[in-house]
Amino acid sequence: DGGITQSPKYLFRKEGQNVTLSCEQNLNHDAMYWYRQDPGQGLRLIYYSQIVNDFQKGDIAEGYSVSREKKESFPLTVTSAQKNPTAFYLCASSQRLNTEAFFGQGTRLTVV
Amino acid sequence: QQQVKQSPQSLIVQKGGISIINCAYENTAFDYFPWYQQFPGKGPALLIAIRPDVSEKKEGRFTISFNKSAKQFSLHIMDSQPGDSATYFCAAGARTGTYKYIFGTGTRLKVLA
């Protein structure tokens, strides 16, 4: 089945820890995105990548980092610099930038 | 100019009724307007989308109405069913230039049986 796989589904982080969220797609899409979802605030763009080895900051990139070494993979690292990381994180991909985006099932990150 | 304003924040509709969700945008460079449906704990799923060269698009019970001059678009769910209960997001994007894909804040729809 083609699609976007995010893992893990639930993740707990201690204060001061870095954690990495995985996103893999087998849709052969060029563009990939990371969004953060908080209650009542919709989806906010963290980072996006148009092609391999290239990525751009979104609206709320501070405290996050990404890499795009392979077309299929776009991992997101939530660093200790992110002061309020508890949220639902969504990965998406699209054939090209600004075309229909398809989402994964999300990772819920909680700081403990 | 980058906002997409969505209303209402929540909506309760009787089974069989019409659900209407509205969005307004500011940036005239936007030329792609999708709607997403999200169930609790799941990622959003693309429901229906429209481009500004048409004023209406219908897919089954779901219709997008688009008013380019007013910079508004809306989602109509006809014959609403309890299974339609979800959060709906509108979005706006531009096919060219710097990425401008912006989401509304979401509408939580509850359809009563």
Side-chain angles (χ1 to χ4, degrees), chain B residues 3 14 18 36 43 49 56 61 64 81 84 96 101 108:
Chain B
Q3 285 189 343
Q14 294 287 338
I18 302 173
Y36 286 84
E56 185 175 281
R61 296 184 294 108
I64 299 179
Q81 299 296 312
D84 297 330
T96 60
Y101 213 78
R108 184 174 293 183

Side-chain angles (χ1 to χ4, degrees), chain A residues 9 33 35 37 40-43 45 48 59 88 90 97-106 108, chain B residues 9 32 36 38 41-44 46 51 89 94-106:
Chain A
K9 188 172 182 179
Y33 317 84
Y35 289 91
Q37 185 173 26
Q41 294 194 45
L43 302 171
L45 182 65
Y48 66 98
D59 300 318
F88 190 48
L90 288 160
L97 202 63
N98 297 342
T99 58
E100 285 85 348
F102 297 89
F103 285 83
Q105 294 302 291
R108 187 165 298 280
Chain B
Q9 191 172 18
Y32 173 65
Y36 286 84
Q38 185 180 29
K42 303 294 184 183
L46 181 64
R51 299 201 186 277
F89 291 96
R95 283 175 289 179
T96 60
T98 305
Y99 181 85
K100 298 184 179 68
Y101 213 78
I102 306 294
F103 283 86
T105 52

